[in-house]
Amino acid sequence: MGVSEPPHTTILIQADAIAARVMALAAEIAQDYAGRELHLVGVMRGALYFLADLSRALQAEDAGALTFDWIELSSYRGGTESTGNVEVTRDLIDPVDGRHVLVIEDIVDSGHTMTFLVALLQARGAATVEVCALLDKPARRRAPNLQVRYIGFRIEDQFVLGYGMDLDERHRALPYIAVVAAKPE
Ligand code: 5GP
C-alpha cells in the first residue's frame, strides 16, 4: 500500500531518487575520508532519516570507524527567513576536539544555522569540519562564506517536507520529499 500525500502538496523527490543520491554521496564521502575516522554530527530533527540512511550507506562502503552524535539548534525566524540568532537547544554528548566532523543537515536555506554550527565545532577544536546537506536552496543564501561540501539536491525557493522535514512538526515520516503549493507563514 502506498503512502498518501498530505493535502496541497506534490512530490518533488521520490524515495528511490533519495536512496540513489544517498548511496552516491556515501561513495564520495568514503573516498574523501579514506584513512580518517569520521564523526557525523546530525542536526535534529530534520536530518534524522538522512543520517540514518547515509551512515548505513557509509558502513556498506566500508568507510572505517564511524561514529555519530546529535545536536539540536533553534534559529529565530523573522518571517520565513532565519536570522543569525542561532541557539543550541540540545547539545552534543561527545567532545569533538581532534575529530574529523561531518555535519549532516536536512536543508541549507539562508545558511545562518550552518555558519553558526561550523564556527561552534571549530571553536571546540574539531580537526576538520565539513557540511553535508541533503537539500540546498542557493537562491536564499545570506551567508556567502559558508562552504557546503556535499549536497544531495539543489532546489528552488520552495517549502519542502517529508524525509525528516516538517510542516508544523508534522509529515516528517513521509518517505519522499514533497513541496507545499503555497508557502506557509
Ligand atoms: P537557515 O539557517 O539555512 O536559513 O535554515 C536552515 C533550517 O531552516 C533547516 O535546518 C530547516 O530546519 C529550516 N528550513 C529551511 N527551509 C525549509 C523547508 O523548506 N522546509 C522545512 N521543513 N524546513 C526548512
Side-chain angles (χ1 to χ4, degrees):
M1 201 170 73
V3 180
S4 62
E5 292 163 44
H8 313 299
T9 63
T10 51
I11 295 179
L12 183 67
I13 308 173
Q14 295 279 5
D16 56 355
I18 299 171
R21 189 71 191 109
V22 168
M23 297 303 281
L25 282 172
E28 195 184 335
I29 293 165
Q31 195 170 33
D32 292 351
Y33 284 86
R36 289 188 287 170
E37 288 192 10
L38 183 57
H39 185 58
L40 306 179
V41 164
V43 183
M44 291 287 271
R45 302 170 199 165
L48 172 66
Y49 301 111
F50 185 36
L51 189 148
D53 289 342
L54 186 72
S55 59
R56 286 178 293 181
L58 282 165
Q59 192 70 57
E61 290 286 334
D62 206 11
L66 181 70
T67 52
F68 62 81
D69 198 355
W70 293 97
I71 193 165
E72 187 172 74
L73 302 169
S74 83
S75 171
Y76 171 76
R77 300 190 90 79
T80 58
E81 191 157 307
S82 85
T83 66
N85 300 328
V86 184
E87 269 178 48
V88 177
T89 48
R90 270 188 269 190
D91 209 339
L92 298 168
I93 290 176
D94 298 327
V96 294
D97 57 293
R99 302 177 96 163
H100 296 289
V101 174
L102 180 61
V103 176
I104 308 298
E105 170 68 315
D106 55 355
I107 178 160
V108 178
D109 190 39
S110 72
H112 290 313
T113 307
M114 278 306 95
T115 301
F116 168 87
L117 183 55
V118 168
L120 179 74
L121 295 165
Q122 285 169 341
R124 290 183 181 182
T128 61
V129 182
E130 300 289 353
V131 176
C132 175
L134 178 63
L135 302 177
D136 182 27
K137 289 185 196 173
R140 302 257 304 170
R141 192 74 84 256
R142 298 288 179 274
N145 295 329
L146 176 69
Q147 308 267 348
V148 184
R149 175 132 178 207
Y150 305 98
I151 293 168
F153 302 92
R154 284 196 175 82
I155 61 166
E156 308 280 306
D157 179 8
Q158 296 161 303
F159 192 88
V160 292
L161 54 96
Y163 195 67
M165 292 166 284
D166 73 311
L167 174 59
D168 296 331
E169 287 307 323
R170 298 177 65 202
H171 310 305
R172 288 192 193 272
L174 291 170
Y176 50 76
I177 296 169
V179 61
V180 178
K183 231 196 253 182
E185 277 306 305

